[in-house]
């Protein structure tokens, strides 16, 4: 009629679950860090390097004189 339920194994349950989740969280964080480095940081560094490779600040200043820096004439 009635069956006796066995108790779930609670001894060491938290430690086992934490170990699993720490490893998973570490793996996910490494993946996100690698994704950010190669999808965001490296292209941004390349764009800045390309921009400043042939950037002439004096030419840019002369162009800005027309509009923004009218008082420097």
């Amino acid at each position: 009629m009635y069956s006796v339920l066995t108790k779930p194994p609670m001894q060491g349950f938290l430690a086992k679950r934490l170990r699993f989740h720490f490893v998973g969280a570490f793996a996910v964080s490494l993946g996100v860090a690698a994704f950010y480095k190669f999808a965001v940081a490296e292209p941004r560094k390349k764009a800045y390097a390309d921009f400043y490779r042939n950037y002439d600040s004096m030419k840019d200043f002369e162009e800005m004189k027309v509009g923004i820096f009218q008082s420097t004439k």
Side-chain angles (χ1 to χ4, degrees):
M1 194 146 85
Y2 292 109
S3 66
V4 177
L5 293 176
T6 59
K7 289 186 175 182
M10 301 301 281
Q11 192 82 21
F13 184 68
L14 178 63
K16 187 170 71 171
R17 298 275 299 175
L18 282 178
R19 192 176 315 121
F20 172 76
H21 284 97
F22 277 146
V23 169
F26 186 73
V28 168
S29 66
L30 282 179
V32 169
F35 174 78
Y36 181 82
K37 177 178 173 39
F38 294 114
V40 176
E42 291 297 324
R44 184 178 293 169
K45 284 187 349 189
K46 185 182 180 306
Y48 274 101
D50 291 343
F51 176 77
Y52 284 112
R53 184 171 298 122
N54 55 9
Y55 177 68
D56 184 15
S57 61
M58 288 310 293
K59 178 184 167 199
D60 202 24
F61 177 69
E62 294 298 327
E63 290 175 3
M64 284 190 281
K65 266 186 175 180
V66 176
I68 299 172
F69 300 122
Q70 292 176 359
S71 63
T72 61
K73 288 184 181 180

